[in-house]
Amino acid sequence: METTEVDWAALEAAAVSAMLNAYAPYSKFPVGAAALTGDGRIVSGCNVENASYGLTLCAECALVGNLQMTGGGLLRAFYCVDAGGNVLMPCGRCRQLLYEFRAPDMELMTTQGIKTMDQVLPDAFGPQHLEEPR
Ligand code: THU
């Protein structure tokens, strides 16, 4: 369990910075996401859309790719913003993406304040289910 404080303002700034890189010509809804890793790195990502709309990559997809490409590890705190810098809730698919890489005490900034991963994705399916006998 980490004991140092989460710098939420730094995460917000990283999410806004990531959002400015978004490629969202179809929805015109740029998104940026940033997270603090267990070893103190900040990883981030933006949404990248596609002319074949269903292939759109959410900002969280880039974030977990960035996590893995920069040393791996787990996510301790998460912040996602829209074009106005307002807090954005991760979509359902992205909650699952984040769940895979959650630190045990992971927190997310939400429109209702700071919440745990378990609060935003209760009773989640995860790697543990692949290991348990059915
Ligand atoms: N989007 C994200 O990047 N993350 C989310 O959690 C919610 C939705 C993007 C996908 C699409 O490019 C745009 O927002 C509108 O849905």
Side-chain angles (χ1 to χ4, degrees):
M1 176 101 132
E2 288 286 341
T3 51
T4 50
E5 284 290 303
V6 172
D7 185 346
W8 290 103
L11 279 185
E12 178 185 10
V16 169
S17 176
M19 179 273 296
L20 296 175
N21 292 309
Y23 175 74
Y26 307 110
S27 72
K28 303 192 185 338
F29 193 84
V31 177
L36 177 66
T37 66
D39 61 359
R41 284 141 51 218
I42 288 183
V43 292
S44 62
C46 62
N47 54 337
V48 180
E49 298 185 346
N50 191 281
S52 181
Y53 298 161
L55 299 182
T56 286
L57 303 175
C58 282
E60 293 87 339
C61 299
L63 184 152
V64 297
N66 186 359
L67 171 73
Q68 200 60 24
M69 284 295 291
T70 61
L74 297 175
L75 304 173
R76 191 173 159 224
F78 171 84
Y79 205 116
C80 187
V81 298
D82 66 14
N86 307 298
V87 173
L88 192 68
M89 296 302 292
C91 74
R93 176 176 182 267
C94 289
R95 294 179 199 202
Q96 186 72 39
L97 284 184
L98 297 170
Y99 183 83
E100 181 81 14
F101 296 102
R102 74 201 181 287
D105 54 352
M106 182 179 172
E107 294 178 317
L108 301 90
M109 183 58 74
T110 79
T111 51
Q112 308 300 316
I114 296 168
K115 291 192 176 184
T116 64
M117 190 74 234
D118 191 53
Q119 286 176 300
V120 301
L121 191 65
D123 304 319
F125 174 83
Q128 67 277 18
H129 294 106
L130 301 177
E131 290 157 13
E132 289 170 8
R134 277 170 282 167

